[in-house]
Every structure is written in C-alpha cells, then in structure tokens.
C-alpha cells in the first residue's frame, strides 16, 4: 500500500496549543501551489526508485495541515490532477481532507465532493463554546454541529471528527457529553487527543505566567478512560491509541503509517518513509517555495539503521489493534531485538499492561495509559 500526504500550511487563526507548521497569512498561496506541483513531479519515482517504467499505484491521498479546507476546491483539484499525471491513483482510493467547521459551507462541501474527496476529517475539538474559546478556535459549537449535518446532507458518509480532552474548562461531565453528541450524530470515526503543552506555544506561555492551570495528568487519564468505556458501549473499535471507528471506517491512510507501509509527504514539514529511509521537508514555507521553484530539493534524508527501523516498528505497531508481531521482529531484526522485546513484554504481562496472543504483543486498556513509557522501554 502506498499513500501520499500533502501538507497545506495555512490556517485562519493560531490555536493556542498548536506547534504544527502553518501560517495565518495566505499571501504566498499561489506560489505554494506552484511549488507543490513541482514537488509532485520531482518525487514521481519516490516509490519505485529502481523501476521508472510504470507509475506507482497510490491507495490513499491525505490533505492535512494546517487547514486544507482553507484552499478552494479548484486548488485542491489542481493538485489531484497533477498527482494523477505522475502516479496512478486507484479509482477507489481513500482521499481525505482535513477541514475546519468555519470553512464548511454547503457549497464548498459540494465542490469538495465533486472533485473526489471521499473522507472528511473535521476539527471539531469540542461541542462547548468555552472550550473552543479557551483553545482560540475560530468556530463555535453550533457551527461544528452544522458542519457535520451539512457534510452528511451533501453525501459524505465517511466522516471523522477530532475531539480534545483535558482542556482546563472541560469537566468530566462535559467530556462525556462531547462523546454523546458525536454518537448522536452517528460519526463513524472519532480521533481523541489529550491537550498537550508544546514548547513556545501561547498555551505554554499562559501556564508559565500562571494565567491558566497546568495540564492535569490524572484528569487526562480519567477522561481517556471515560472515553474508552463510552466508545466500547457504543460499539466503536479502538484500533489505535487515539482512534476509534465503526466497522469498516478505519482511516486507511493512517492505518498504513501504523502498519509500516510507505508514504510520500509533500509540502513544507512533510515526512516520507519507504521502508529503507525517511525524509523530511524543510519546515519553512518561504524557503520551501524558493527551493522547489529553483528546481532544488527541499528535504533531508536519513537511511534507517536496523535499530531505528526496529524502534519505528515498535513505535507504530504497538499503538494499534494489530499489535507488534514477534515473528516479524525475530525474522526482520534478529534474535537480539526479539529477546529484548520479549523480556520487556513479559514484565508488562505480569503487570496486566500487555497481553501476548498468537505471538503478537498487544496493549491492554490499562497498558494504553502507559503506551509511551512501554514503547520507550522496548526501544533498543
Ligand atoms: S487549525 Fe490545526 S494546524 Fe491550524 S493552528 Fe489550529 S491546530 Fe494548528
């Protein structure tokens, strides 16, 4: 499976917790699109470095950001058209677009549908105005609901929403209510993120100045557990630490990341991986545009060592319902890695945080609360 990620580095407003690469100015949008089109051509052999005869088949395309819904449908369409020139995008490919509620008018939704977008990931974050104001999001709760209703009316049935927990203003009761609103609206895919404090963000600044409370780890665990229980009760599959879906609504694109499949990332700050190396584009839109329009490359490449490859495998697979396969570890990385991994896993089995079934390692619900710690211990 091969996926293409396209980073759209523009946002309407800066959310106070965000450390992604974006700009609130769309001044250089046209140059950015010209640069992306150049990069598509220059990376046409990314997946087939040894055989340039045939176009690579692409299973998923994902417009992420930033805020892809800030672009016009015709701008997204222009990018898809050029992708089709250099790659073979499957007729049934999953084509996802991250969208923010404030951009989604019915007309724009219709246009996105017409150009072939078949999955929407809507940045709702909360159905409570006080939380949205705290996060400095431009939309309100009613707009979030309307964007979901209108997406469905236009014919999108593959919809995901993002929700954030551990917001200081969010009580456990309101958190559960957020989830219930998602269930009532029959959202087939829900991604949940704990509010984290990234360095140099306004949120980090407010906390350092005592203007808002520090993030409460206990509350984070409590709200995550509330979510796991509510999701299970409502028959959602917990297929990755932060992702839940109804049967058949897995994000194919993101699942491919977690299954160690190849992906090409285009646009400033985008990452790529092909099983041998990973590369990352410069996280500066002006520099990115300059380099691409001059015909230069904008990425740094690193060939993965066997240890990096093993760590990457643990990091991505342990988070998922598919688990980390001990046979794959033994056969791909060798006995030393297998022994190390088994030793740590056995320790966590005794603590009830891991189960081993059919030679695969899985996190239990308790283990999911310690996923980062357990992964780090399994790293070599
Ligand atoms: S919309 Fe997304 S990318 Fe843009 S500032 Fe907010 S969180 Fe960051």
């Amino acid at each position: 499976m091969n996926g293409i990620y396209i980073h759209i580095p523009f946002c309407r407003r800066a959310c106070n917790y965000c450390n992604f690469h974006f700009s609130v100015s769309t001044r250089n949008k046209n140059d950015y699109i010209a640069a992306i089109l150049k990069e598509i051509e220059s990376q046409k052999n990314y997946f087939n470095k040894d055989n340039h005869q045939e176009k690579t088949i692409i299973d998923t395309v994902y417009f992420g950001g930033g805020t892809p819904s800030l672009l016009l449908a015709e701008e997204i369409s222009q990018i898809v058209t050029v992708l089709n020139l250099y790659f073979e995008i499957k007729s049934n490919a999953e084509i996802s677009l991250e969208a923010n509620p404030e951009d989604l008018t019915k007309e724009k939704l219709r246009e996105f549908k017409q150009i072939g977008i078949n999955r929407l990931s809507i940045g709702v974050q909360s159905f409570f105005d006080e939380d949205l104001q705290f996060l400095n999001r431009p939309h309100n709760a009613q707009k979030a609901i309307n964007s979901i209703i209108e997406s469905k009316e236009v014919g999108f049935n593959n919809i995901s929403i993002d929700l954030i927990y551990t917001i200081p203003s969010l009580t456990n009761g309101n958190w559960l209510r957020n989830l219930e609103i998602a269930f009532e609206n029959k959202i087939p895919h829900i991604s949940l993120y704990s509010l984290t404090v990234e360095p140099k963000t306004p949120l980090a600044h407010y906390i350092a100045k005592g203007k808002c409370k520090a993030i409460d780890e206990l509350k984070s665990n409590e709200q995550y557990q509330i979510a796991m229980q509510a999701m299970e009760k409502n028959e959602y599959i917990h297929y990755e630490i932060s992702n839940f879906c109804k049967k058949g609504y897995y994000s194919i694109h993101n699942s491919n990341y977690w299954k160690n499949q190849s992906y090409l990332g285009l646009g400033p700050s985008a990452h790529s991986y092909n099983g041998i190396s990973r590369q990352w584009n410069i996280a500066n839109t002006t520099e990115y545009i300059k380099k691409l329009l001059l015909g230069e490359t904008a990425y740094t490449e690193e060939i993965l060592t066997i240890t990096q490859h093993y760590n990457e495998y643990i990091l991505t697979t342990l988070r998922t319902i598919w688990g980390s396969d001990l046979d794959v570890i033994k056969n791909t990385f060798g006995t030393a890695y297998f022994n190390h991994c088994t030793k740590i896993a056995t320790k966590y089995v005794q603590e009830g945080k891991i189960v081993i079934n059919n030679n695969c390692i899985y996190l239990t619900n308790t283990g999911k609360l310690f996923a980062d710690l357990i992964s780090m211990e399994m790293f070599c």
Side-chain angles (χ1 to χ4, degrees):
M1 284 247 191
N2 297 308
I4 293 183
Y5 170 85
I6 295 143
H7 189 78
I8 311 291
F10 306 108
C11 291
R12 205 172 278 280
R13 196 197 276 187
C15 303
N16 65 17
Y17 55 93
C18 179
N19 73 339
F20 293 146
H21 175 67
F22 70 93
S23 163
V24 289
S25 161
T26 49
R27 184 170 37 89
N28 53 6
K29 189 174 70 164
N30 291 345
D31 289 341
Y32 158 79
I33 291 171
I36 276 278
L37 302 185
K38 283 257 185 195
E39 194 186 13
I40 294 171
E41 183 182 1
S42 71
Q43 294 290 353
K44 63 181 186 223
N45 296 317
Y46 178 75
F47 297 100
N48 58 350
K49 287 200 161 70
D50 301 328
N51 169 17
H52 298 175
Q53 302 306 315
E54 289 169 15
K55 290 185 194 174
T56 303
I57 295 173
I58 301 298
D59 304 273
T60 63
V61 176
Y62 192 102
F63 289 91
T67 310
S69 56
L70 261 187
L71 292 197
L72 301 172
E74 65 190 66
E75 291 167 332
I76 299 279
S77 175
Q78 205 183 349
I79 296 172
V80 175
T81 303
V82 175
L83 280 175
N84 267 308
L85 278 181
Y86 297 104
F87 298 91
E88 190 182 327
I89 300 176
K90 272 186 166 174
S91 57
N92 62 349
E94 178 188 89
I95 305 187
S96 304
L97 181 117
E98 287 181 356
N100 280 343
E102 66 275 10
D103 298 327
L104 294 180
T105 60
K106 234 176 171 179
E107 192 187 345
K108 196 155 191 184
L109 282 161
R110 263 192 216 104
E111 289 169 0
F112 283 145
K113 187 107 192 22
Q114 263 164 16
I115 63 162
I117 303 297
N118 53 28
R119 183 174 183 275
L120 285 179
S121 173
I122 306 178
V124 168
Q125 318 310 353
S126 176
F127 291 108
F128 289 93
D129 286 341
E130 62 263 34
D131 301 331
L132 296 168
Q133 282 155 16
F134 176 85
L135 300 171
N136 200 32
R137 301 288 303 195
H139 66 276
N140 61 24
Q142 191 56 52
K143 182 64 193 151
I145 301 260
N146 290 351
S147 69
I148 292 168
I149 294 171
E150 291 182 351
S151 299
K152 288 183 170 182
E153 283 172 357
V154 160
F156 283 102
N157 54 22
N158 197 350
I159 297 174
S160 176
I161 64 166
D162 290 351
L163 293 173
I164 297 182
Y165 57 101
T166 339
I167 304 169
S169 49
L170 182 67
T171 61
N172 287 354
N174 280 2
W175 173 233
L176 186 58
R177 185 67 200 128
N178 264 337
L179 297 165
E180 285 167 355
I181 294 172
F183 304 150
E184 286 160 12
N185 281 279
K186 300 197 171 13
I187 306 293
H189 187 286
I190 307 174
S191 301
L192 308 179
Y193 303 101
S194 180
L195 184 63
T196 49
V197 185
E198 302 296 343
K200 296 184 186 156
T201 56
L203 180 60
H205 180 76
Y206 300 150
I207 291 174
K209 293 276 171 201
K211 287 185 183 165
C212 87
K213 282 194 285 183
I215 301 302
D216 180 345
E217 281 305 314
L218 283 178
K219 182 173 166 185
S220 173
N221 282 350
E222 217 171 79
Q223 295 193 342
Y224 185 65
Q225 281 169 305
I226 289 172
M228 281 198 289
Q229 282 165 14
M231 291 287 185
E232 196 176 336
K233 206 167 137 201
N234 286 274
E235 298 178 343
Y236 280 76
I237 304 161
H238 192 178
Y239 75 104
E240 196 268 346
I241 292 275
S242 309
N243 288 281
F244 301 78
C245 72
K246 289 286 182 179
K247 196 168 171 227
Y249 284 92
Y250 298 89
S251 159
I252 303 172
H253 184 84
N254 289 338
S255 298
N256 285 346
Y257 290 147
W258 303 318
K259 289 177 180 172
N260 251 268
Q261 303 287 310
S262 300
Y263 55 87
L264 167 65
L266 302 165
S269 80
H271 285 233
S272 307
Y273 170 78
N274 62 7
I276 298 165
S277 67
R278 61 180 161 220
Q279 62 191 47
W280 52 94
N281 281 351
I282 188 166
N284 178 321
T285 303
T286 310
E287 281 300 305
Y288 167 84
I289 292 170
K290 208 162 117 192
K291 281 179 181 289
L292 265 297
L293 296 187
L294 283 171
E296 296 172 9
T297 56
Y299 64 83
T300 307
E301 186 182 19
E302 175 181 49
I303 305 290
L304 296 176
T305 63
I306 188 156
T307 299
Q308 285 172 319
H309 202 167
Y310 161 82
N311 290 347
E312 190 95 15
Y313 178 79
I314 294 292
L315 182 73
T316 49
T317 57
L318 192 62
R319 302 172 61 85
T320 70
I321 198 172
W322 303 287
S324 305
D325 189 328
L326 286 169
D327 289 331
V328 170
I329 292 172
K330 194 174 197 172
N331 298 332
T332 311
F333 307 109
T335 313
Y337 292 91
F338 169 81
N339 288 345
H340 171 71
C341 185
T342 310
K343 187 173 143 210
I344 306 293
T346 308
K347 180 184 111 179
Y348 282 113
V349 168
Q350 283 152 11
E351 294 180 17
K353 294 178 181 135
I354 273 183
V355 287
I356 303 179
N357 269 338
N358 294 328
N359 239 12
C360 278
I361 303 171
Y362 306 95
L363 293 172
T364 60
N365 277 357
T366 308
K368 284 169 190 162
L369 297 168
F370 302 91
D372 291 343
L373 185 87
I374 297 173
S375 300
M376 267 160 60
E377 255 194 81
M378 283 191 177
F379 287 170
C380 285

